[in-house]
Amino acid sequence: MLPGGRVVKRGKKKGKKGEPKPYTGLEALLLFPDHGDYVATLGHGRSPYLALMRRFSAAFRFAYNRLLEGEKREDLKKEDGPLCTLFCLNTRYADDALLKAQALLTAQRELGENPRKVVFGGRKLLADLARLKRSNLPLYERKKAEWRERRKGTLYARGDKSKKGNPHLRLVVQDGSLFGAPTPQMNLWLQINLGEKRYAWALVKTSHPRLQALLSRVYAHEPYNVELALREGRVYALFSWEEELPPVSLTQEGGVLALDVNADPYGLALAVVNPDGSLRRHLTLFLEEVDRAKNRGAKEIALWRMAHQIVSLAQEEGVAIATERLKHLPKGRRGDGLGPAFRRQAHRFAYRSLLGKVHALARKRGIQSLEVNPQDTSTIGMLKYAPLLSLSKDVAAAYVIGRGFKEEIPKPLKALLQDPSFHDRPRRFYEGRIAQLKERHREEKNPYLKRKLRRELAQMRKALATLPSLQGEPGGPAGSTAGRNPQGIHAWRALRVGLFLPLLGRKVPRDLSVLKPILLGSWEGWKGGLDPHPGGGSAAADAHLRVGVGSGG
């Protein structure tokens, strides 16, 4: 339960055995001193003892489709089963292919994707191939080679403690006498089981900080998983193992550090909330360093640095961490009418990557991390806490997340919902605006601008349809993160629709202090200074129309 009484459901209780296990690891380049070993591993040649990665990749695709059809894993991995006989794999390699296929199938279902539409090799890369087939031959050939590597260049073997680490892709530490003259330098080798007592050897090259942790597992015969991948003709190995996490020492009982991520301005709003729901402190962290990163590696370093800063703050305050559960944000596409500036902002927005790093670091440091439903957090923050506490809309949203997302509408706003004049003003505004948008859409010749006006028209109609819920019983979202509270759930949204654009001139106002008199019960005095017919006259409607369409709200 978060401060404020919010209970956060984290799915069905599966017990310790059913919980997802945290893994860590490192990636290394493999060098094959013997070219024959390289050929045998990658798959060039027709011998049944060669082409291991190609055969395993084909078995992985075959296993995925059979599991999708409902066949049992026990039947598929038998020695006389299809995986072993069709692809010349032993039962352990066959079971590893099934394990990898089952993981992909489970992930697709949990993400709500259609598992029958999986594209092995990458959907985006396949689309690029179709687009480049007749336009750019050199680039097409490079993309085609990358497609083949992703589709056919995979090999996976899980670790096993009873088999001294990993029976099929085993790490061996020895000097340089394996190939050539002995040297005093100790080298790390990967022994690849090709089947029928045949082995390939590859030198493991890496300077990763976790190398010592991996070596300690090798010496202790602890299990480690190995996955080989082919990229630009080189073979890379990803070594992973289950991580021992410390017990949770900082929980929500001591308070919550809540995060709200924003694309404009590009940054994080943080609010430290006490157990009683009061605001202890707040701050904003901007992500200019991420925006200025020259490449993907520099961007990852900047995001990790930011994640460390956030988790260190939670340790300093002695609180848990709460974030929104964000699954998908629309990033736009060419020709959608939103403009290139919006698409640039949306595509640079690394919210999922940053939040994933924050939760991973929190688990490693014994800090409880929570994900809450993001529904209406910004609206509640802007209407209730930003005016009263002189907070920005982003910090106010983070405060709502930290309080537990169970909010009652203040009495002055409840009274406002019952005021007939408040109902009349936004209704006339939206009706007038819809009429003007229809006229402009009818006269516009540019197809892109017509699409933009059509989107704005749909938004205005949706806002107008929200206004009747002003008569409903007010209330706030509450309960589990997986469901919705149907009673009065649109009251906050209706207040937003009725106040912001018709009376403040923007869909998302920056200055919300003007709403403070309303929250203090002075609606009658506040509305006295307004235009008596907002949205009713042509001049007022034109002004609002320019604000909404030009700025995007």
Side-chain angles (χ1 to χ4, degrees):
M1 181 178 292
L2 285 177
R6 172 65 181 262
V7 176
V8 180
K9 293 186 178 179
R10 302 180 68 95
K12 297 180 180 179
K13 295 182 178 180
K14 300 180 180 179
K16 292 185 178 180
K17 292 185 178 180
E19 295 177 356
K21 298 178 180 179
Y23 282 86
T24 188
L26 60 92
E27 188 178 67
L29 173 65
L30 298 185
L31 301 178
F32 292 84
D34 187 335
H35 184 69
D37 288 350
Y38 175 82
V39 171
T41 304
L42 263 65
H44 304 289
R46 298 184 179 182
S47 170
Y49 301 110
L50 305 181
L52 179 59
M53 294 179 74
R54 293 183 62 181
R55 288 186 283 118
F56 183 91
S57 300
F60 164 56
R61 300 193 299 270
F62 181 88
Y64 181 86
N65 290 318
R66 300 295 79 75
L67 291 175
L68 196 59
E69 294 170 358
E71 295 194 31
K72 295 182 179 180
R73 177 178 171 182
E74 292 75 13
D75 297 334
L76 292 171
K77 70 178 183 179
K78 291 180 179 179
E79 189 172 359
D80 58 349
L83 289 180
C84 295
T85 55
L86 292 177
F87 304 101
C88 300
L89 298 176
N90 58 36
T91 56
R92 190 170 186 89
Y93 269 138
D95 197 26
D96 290 338
L98 283 163
L99 186 65
K100 191 172 176 63
Q102 184 62 62
L104 176 60
L105 182 59
T106 302
Q108 290 294 307
R109 288 170 175 168
E110 289 181 351
L111 292 173
E113 303 288 343
N114 187 347
R116 297 185 180 276
K117 294 186 178 181
V118 168
V119 178
F120 296 95
R123 182 179 301 278
K124 183 178 183 301
L125 193 56
L126 182 63
D128 290 343
L129 286 175
R131 177 174 55 86
L132 295 170
K133 189 171 184 179
R134 297 182 179 179
S135 60
N136 191 329
L137 186 58
L139 183 57
Y140 171 76
E141 293 298 332
R142 290 199 299 270
K143 290 287 186 179
K144 188 175 182 180
E146 183 182 353
W147 159 265
R148 287 175 174 173
E149 287 183 340
R150 287 190 183 184
R151 187 176 175 87
K152 302 179 181 180
T154 300
L155 180 63
Y156 174 77
R158 68 189 185 280
D160 191 337
K161 185 175 179 62
S162 63
K163 304 293 184 180
K164 298 183 179 181
N166 194 308
H168 281 356
L169 299 177
R170 186 188 301 279
L171 286 169
V172 179
V173 182
Q174 56 182 301
D175 58 27
S177 60
L178 185 63
F179 292 94
T183 63
Q185 181 181 1
M186 300 297 292
N187 290 321
L188 182 62
W189 296 87
L190 183 66
Q191 184 191 56
I192 304 171
N193 187 346
L194 301 175
E196 297 294 331
K197 298 182 180 182
R198 291 169 51 88
Y199 299 94
W201 290 87
L203 184 63
V204 180
K205 301 294 292 184
T206 181
S207 58
H208 198 282
R210 296 197 188 102
L211 178 58
Q212 292 302 320
L214 177 60
L215 289 174
S216 66
R217 301 189 72 84
V218 174
Y219 288 127
H221 302 300
E222 294 291 331
Y224 51 88
N225 307 317
V226 186
E227 182 169 4
L228 305 188
L230 181 61
R231 295 199 298 270
E232 297 180 357
R234 293 187 171 188
V235 181
Y236 293 85
L238 175 62
F239 303 94
S240 61
W241 58 90
E242 187 178 350
E243 189 175 18
E244 297 291 337
L245 295 181
V248 176
S249 57
L250 297 179
T251 67
Q252 55 191 339
E253 301 300 326
V256 170
L257 172 62
L259 282 68
D260 181 66
V261 283
N262 308 284
D264 184 22
Y266 192 33
L268 288 176
L270 294 89
V272 181
V273 184
N274 291 319
D276 61 358
S278 60
L279 182 63
R280 185 187 306 177
R281 62 178 294 196
H282 63 85
L283 67 153
T284 302
L285 302 177
F286 296 101
L287 297 175
E288 291 94 344
E289 183 181 2
V290 178
D291 211 19
R292 294 194 300 264
K294 297 181 180 180
N295 50 51
R296 182 177 179 181
K299 183 176 181 179
E300 283 292 299
I301 292 174
L303 289 173
W304 276 113
R305 187 178 293 115
M306 180 69 70
H308 277 279
Q309 187 176 353
I310 293 167
V311 175
S312 297
L313 178 61
Q315 282 185 309
E316 176 187 332
E317 296 290 339
V319 296
I321 294 177
T323 68
E324 296 175 310
R325 179 182 289 121
L326 297 177
K327 291 186 176 180
H328 173 71
L329 288 181
K331 295 183 180 293
R333 56 182 176 82
R334 185 183 298 272
D336 58 6
L338 294 175
F342 170 82
R343 291 196 296 273
R344 280 195 297 269
Q345 284 184 348
H347 280 275
R348 74 177 183 178
F349 194 27
Y351 67 95
R352 189 188 301 274
S353 177
L354 178 59
L355 294 188
K357 292 174 173 57
V358 169
H359 285 290
L361 279 177
R363 289 193 297 269
K364 291 181 180 180
R365 298 191 186 181
I367 300 175
Q368 183 182 15
S369 62
L370 308 166
E371 289 184 307
V372 303
N373 190 347
Q375 178 185 324
D376 295 337
T377 51
S378 297
T379 299
I380 296 172
M382 287 190 289
L383 287 170
K384 187 173 182 179
Y385 295 112
L388 284 178
L389 302 179
S390 299
L391 303 174
S392 69
K393 68 176 186 66
D394 305 322
V395 171
Y399 183 39
V400 173
I401 294 171
R403 280 177 55 86
F405 199 39
K406 181 180 181 181
E407 301 289 346
E408 293 293 333
I409 295 182
K411 291 182 179 180
L413 292 182
K414 288 183 179 181
L416 186 62
L417 293 176
Q418 308 302 323
D419 192 319
S421 65
F422 175 72
H423 291 231
D424 183 55
R425 286 171 179 269
R427 184 175 299 281
R428 282 185 292 155
F429 168 81
Y430 285 112
E431 289 174 350
R433 186 158 184 173
I434 288 173
Q436 290 200 1
L437 284 170
K438 285 182 177 179
E439 182 66 22
R440 290 186 58 179
H441 182 268
R442 187 163 45 250
E443 297 175 355
E444 183 60 58
K445 303 301 182 182
N446 188 314
Y448 296 104
L449 293 180
K450 285 179 71 73
R451 188 176 302 169
K452 185 175 184 179
L453 290 171
R454 190 159 55 245
R455 179 178 287 103
E456 180 74 9
L457 183 60
Q459 292 174 354
M460 294 302 101
R461 286 171 173 165
K462 183 178 180 180
L464 184 62
T466 305
L467 293 176
S469 65
L470 289 168
Q471 303 286 354
E473 181 181 353
S480 71
T481 59
R484 293 185 175 183
N485 178 16
Q487 185 176 2
I489 194 170
H490 297 300
W492 286 108
R493 301 178 191 177
L495 281 167
R496 175 174 179 165
V497 166
L499 282 172
F500 288 174
L501 188 57
L503 302 182
L504 301 183
R506 292 183 65 89
K507 294 178 183 177
V508 184
R510 289 293 174 188
D511 182 13
L512 295 159
S513 61
V514 294
L515 296 179
K516 190 170 184 178
I518 298 180
L519 292 169
L520 297 178
S522 302
W523 161 246
E524 290 296 330
W526 190 80
K527 73 176 181 179
L530 294 175
D531 180 353
H533 301 290
S538 59
D542 284 340
H544 286 302
L545 188 62
R546 286 194 297 272
V547 170
V549 175
S551 65

